[in-house]
Amino acid sequence: MRHAAPRHARTPAYGPARAVYLPRLADAVASSMATYTVPLLVLGTTDSSSLTGVAFVLAWGPRLCTFGLAGSAVDRLGAGRVFRMAACARAVVVGLAAPVLLLVGDTAAAVVVMLLAACTGFLTEFSYIAAESVGAVASREAAGGAHRVQSVLLGIDQAAALIGPAAGGVLLQWGGSSGMLAAISGLSILSAVITPHIRQPVPEATPSLLRGLRSGWSTLRALPMLAYLVAGLALSNLALGVLQAATPVVLMKQLGQSSASVGLVWSAAAAASLLAVAGARIAIDRWGLVRTGRVASLITVAPCFALAHADSYPAYLLLIAVFMAGDSALAVVLRTLRSSLIPAEVFGSTLSLTVLILLLPFPLAGVVMAAVAPADLDAVITACAVLQCLGLALAFVRAGRLRPSRGKHRRAARR
């Protein structure tokens, strides 16, 4: 006799192309355009590397302040609802900013753009946590194919990173700020419209924000393999953040390139990342997570040291592409481990905590960029490469000695 499943046990229209992949792609392109073109807009308006660093801080700082709120909102309201609300709010904010920038002077425009960076960073955190939670559901349903689902999701993110910077740079150079902001607003609306209504069970007792943070911390402490990897990737993200903040200054001020050329660098890096994601999927099938992570670490660290000495545009583009290829392979390792180890009932809170740790280096990179003279960027990049090397080495040396403990993290989730 066939028994009917509980109403919340099934997700209507939960085909990956509609419920996971397409909204994720539209949202990721909008986020990518905002992340990479707002610093260009600030640099073009103010002609100041310090204010470009401040804009980078304002873009990432609010994401740190909202990580707990985003995780709790997903656990309370559902991933689909939070995703739609965040996308709609970003569309409104960006849409209103476009006409304002046409009416104000250069100084006021710089203030508006930096406030825009803060607002988009705040809202992107909510949409990201919600999208990751939906992707984790798809990974759990795939069971042994979790890394395949995560590689597809990361491939979508990298495809968005391929499209976003190049499109944003071209729109900014040829259509001005209005065209670029209109594209971000339109993509945000699209991602909200095509996201289906996803049912999920509501917790019997809605946890407070503080309790959610404690639960996430307890879960992460009970998973040392994941904890070491998150710590190592946090140091790697410091190098990535410095490179993201410094690239407009290095290319436009030191190498005399245009804003479209800056976008092309990150688009080429995204293309290399797509290949690395596909390769990581095959490597994990054959050699496992730890061995794949070790090789990816070497691919990431080596070009970071070389970037401090790159003196031509082709060399800089190539090294950034190799760096991002290794970083993307590491991301597949992290996402696979995260989706398989974190219990479903505390996934939102624990994911938020790991995201906080991974995002902390980005505003710090903006502070460094604002405080350091352009002539000293080479020394800063070298120092970041040293920290990255130490962090990833420790992560994968420790990871090789550990094995996932399913019972232990289940007990932590019930606390």
Side-chain angles (χ1 to χ4, degrees):
M1 181 177 178
R2 300 175 68 180
H3 298 278
R7 297 186 67 183
H8 63 262
R10 295 175 182 266
T11 303
Y14 207 88
R18 173 175 170 80
V20 179
Y21 298 150
L22 294 181
R24 175 96 168 214
L25 177 61
D27 180 75
V29 172
S31 300
S32 176
M33 289 181 67
T35 299
Y36 290 104
T37 55
V38 167
L40 287 174
L41 192 56
V42 173
L43 182 62
T45 302
T46 66
D47 197 35
S48 170
S49 61
S50 295
L51 288 179
T52 303
V54 172
F56 201 79
V57 174
L58 290 175
W60 287 99
R63 300 183 70 170
L64 303 182
C65 301
T66 57
F67 80 99
L69 293 175
S72 297
V74 168
D75 289 339
R76 293 183 184 188
L77 302 177
R81 184 182 300 178
V82 171
F83 184 85
R84 285 191 299 273
M85 293 171 61
C88 289
R90 181 174 57 202
V92 171
V93 169
V94 174
L96 291 176
V100 171
L101 288 174
L102 294 176
L103 300 175
V104 298
D106 289 346
T107 303
V111 174
V112 170
V113 171
M114 287 191 283
L115 290 176
L116 179 63
C119 292
T120 54
F122 176 87
L123 295 170
T124 296
E125 179 69 6
F126 281 85
S127 65
Y128 173 77
I129 293 294
E132 283 290 282
S133 298
V134 173
V137 173
S139 294
R140 286 192 291 270
E141 290 179 351
H147 65 283
R148 296 185 178 92
V149 174
Q150 289 299 323
S151 67
V152 172
L153 293 176
L154 185 57
I156 289 172
D157 290 346
Q158 295 301 334
L162 173 64
I163 298 168
V170 170
L171 287 171
L172 187 59
Q173 184 171 355
W174 300 106
S177 60
S178 298
M180 184 263 292
L181 294 176
I184 294 174
S185 181
L187 287 168
S188 299
I189 293 173
L190 176 63
S191 64
V193 169
I194 64 179
T195 301
H197 293 275
I198 299 172
R199 293 180 181 179
Q200 69 179 58
V202 178
E204 296 180 2
T206 303
S208 64
L209 174 60
L210 183 58
R211 183 178 177 181
L213 294 178
R214 287 201 301 263
S215 176
W217 179 249
S218 297
T219 304
L220 188 60
R221 288 181 60 191
L223 300 169
M225 189 174 183
L226 179 62
Y228 279 115
L229 182 56
V230 169
L233 288 178
L235 290 175
S236 181
N237 279 351
L238 178 61
L240 175 58
V242 168
L243 289 174
Q244 286 183 349
T247 292
V249 176
V250 171
L251 295 184
M252 297 179 70
K253 295 294 184 181
Q254 298 181 9
L255 300 181
Q257 300 297 315
S258 66
S259 61
S261 298
V262 177
L264 180 60
V265 165
W266 294 113
S267 293
S273 297
L274 282 171
L275 297 176
V277 168
R281 172 178 170 176
I282 298 172
I284 291 172
D285 280 334
R286 173 173 286 187
W287 296 300
L289 287 172
V290 174
R291 290 183 179 179
T292 302
R294 287 171 177 168
V295 173
S297 298
L298 292 175
I299 296 174
T300 307
V301 169
C304 191
F305 281 101
L307 276 164
H309 308 286
D311 56 359
S312 68
Y313 180 73
Y316 197 92
L317 184 149
L318 178 62
L319 290 171
I320 286 287
V322 175
F323 177 95
M324 291 303 298
D327 184 77
S328 297
L330 286 173
V332 174
V333 174
L334 171 66
R335 291 182 181 212
T336 302
L337 193 63
R338 189 171 61 191
S339 64
S340 62
L341 292 184
I342 300 176
E345 57 269 23
V346 291
F347 188 88
S349 299
T350 310
L351 173 65
S352 297
L353 181 61
T354 63
V355 169
L356 169 70
I357 296 172
L358 293 173
L359 291 185
L360 275 171
F362 287 98
L364 178 59
V367 172
V368 171
M369 184 66 192
V372 172
D376 297 327
L377 285 177
D378 291 349
V380 172
I381 293 173
T382 301
C384 290
V386 171
L387 292 175
Q388 178 193 43
C389 183
L390 293 175
L392 291 177
L394 177 62
F396 285 103
V397 167
R398 296 292 298 174
R401 300 174 183 174
L402 297 169
R403 292 293 181 270
S405 178
R406 299 184 181 275
K408 187 175 182 181
H409 77 253
R410 291 291 177 188
R411 289 194 297 271
R414 292 194 291 266
R415 293 178 185 174

